[in-house]
Amino acid sequence: MSEIKRIAITPGEPAGIGPDLVLTLAQHKHQAQIIALADPVLLAERADLLGLSIKMIEVDLSAPPKIAESGELYVMPHHLKVPVTAGQLDKLNSRYVLETLQTALEGCLSHEFDAVVTAPVHKGIINDAGAAFTGHTEFFADGAGVKKVVMMLATESLKVALATTHLPLREVADAINRDELSQVIEIINQSMRQHFGLVNPRIAVCGLNPHAGEDGHLGREEVDIIQPVIDAYIKAGYAVSGAWPADTIFNQDKLLNYDVVLAMFHDQGLPVLKHHGFGKAVNVTLGLPFIRTSVDHGTALDLAASGQANPSSLYAALSMAIAMANTH
């Protein structure tokens, strides 16, 4: 490794398991400088509840980055608006959550951070506080001035990107058009090359309809939209193929031939991915001008401060962020 990378971590909703996971992660040494954007008092109180020993070091970004030892955690202090009780949401702390995300955004755009890893937030409580917040992805995209990003979930052996994300099913077909699908393929191709070191990423594109439409007998989206886009990229030299029936492309033998599967909608691709590796999967936002990874789960308020929260997804998100930063 030529240089030590700086990775920001936002612990997310302070009443949830995010602080627990960050403290658990800090019990081990990592091959980057990990910086928690959080309230040191919150972390100290949660460490006491969990019975974890932690030494917090206020980070100095003007100094060369250093790797923390096991049991140490670099912190960039942000202060809660009101004290936190584990498992109990308080909308007064929503501004604190947004402030940590804003610092992460600005630090990534200024290249002070080489990547950001996000623990889960509670969208509802942020909205209850009067903030128009739809999620991390939209927050970072808007802040970076990016119009189009792509959601991808990844395990060690399977990557699934989405052409559409959180839409009602009856709206999905109308959201798929040639321009949008082309943008998605461009973003996937560029991101796989830039951050994963693939010279010509192999992208398997799913059809929308059962059996990929059966030549138009089960829907025209493949004939009129999806296949023409695929054919244009094949002609341009991209390693794109399809349109594949979604009920066969996820066969393990077929997946050996591809680097990423592009599903047309959320529940076409993600049930397979999460069955394959829930708790160890990473949510990656492609198309941002910086690296952002996240966990594949929610705030789990009922597990906060219990010591039962599984850190596997945060470990995987951190590991992928470090690998992507070192490939970049």
Side-chain angles (χ1 to χ4, degrees), residues 152-161 192 196 198 204 250 255 258-262 273 276 284 320:
M152 182 178 79
L153 264 71
T155 66
E156 287 187 6
S157 58
L158 177 61
K159 294 179 177 68
V160 177
M192 292 294 104
F196 292 88
L198 300 174
F250 289 105
L255 290 175
Y258 303 104
D259 300 304
V260 58
V261 177
L262 173 57
L273 186 288
H276 175 77
V284 187
M320 184 167 289

Side-chain angles (χ1 to χ4, degrees), residues 108-225:
C108 286
L109 290 175
S110 67
H111 305 294
E112 290 178 303
F113 304 138
D114 295 293
V116 58
V117 178
T118 60
V121 298
H122 195 287
K123 298 175 189 176
I125 200 68
I126 296 175
N127 290 324
D128 288 346
F133 181 84
T134 54
H136 282 108
T137 302
E138 295 81 3
F139 180 90
F140 288 131
D142 290 345
V146 174
K147 292 183 179 180
K148 184 71 175 178
V149 293
V150 174
M151 178 180 176
M152 182 178 79
L153 264 71
T155 66
E156 287 187 6
S157 58
L158 177 61
K159 294 179 177 68
V160 177
L162 301 178
T164 63
T165 51
H166 301 116
L167 287 177
L169 192 55
R170 67 174 60 250
E171 296 179 15
V172 168
D174 290 339
I176 297 171
N177 58 61
R178 293 192 188 190
D179 287 343
E180 289 288 326
L181 188 57
S182 296
Q183 289 179 51
V184 170
I185 292 173
E186 289 282 0
I187 290 169
I188 294 170
N189 185 71
Q190 176 61 27
S191 297
M192 292 294 104
R193 290 165 61 93
Q194 182 176 5
H195 296 305
F196 292 88
L198 300 174
V199 175
N200 196 12
R202 301 168 300 170
I203 304 169
V205 181
C206 293
L208 173 66
N209 297 294
H211 303 171
E214 287 194 359
D215 297 321
H217 295 290
L218 290 177
R220 295 285 307 176
E221 286 81 9
E222 289 78 12
V223 174
D224 296 336
I225 300 169

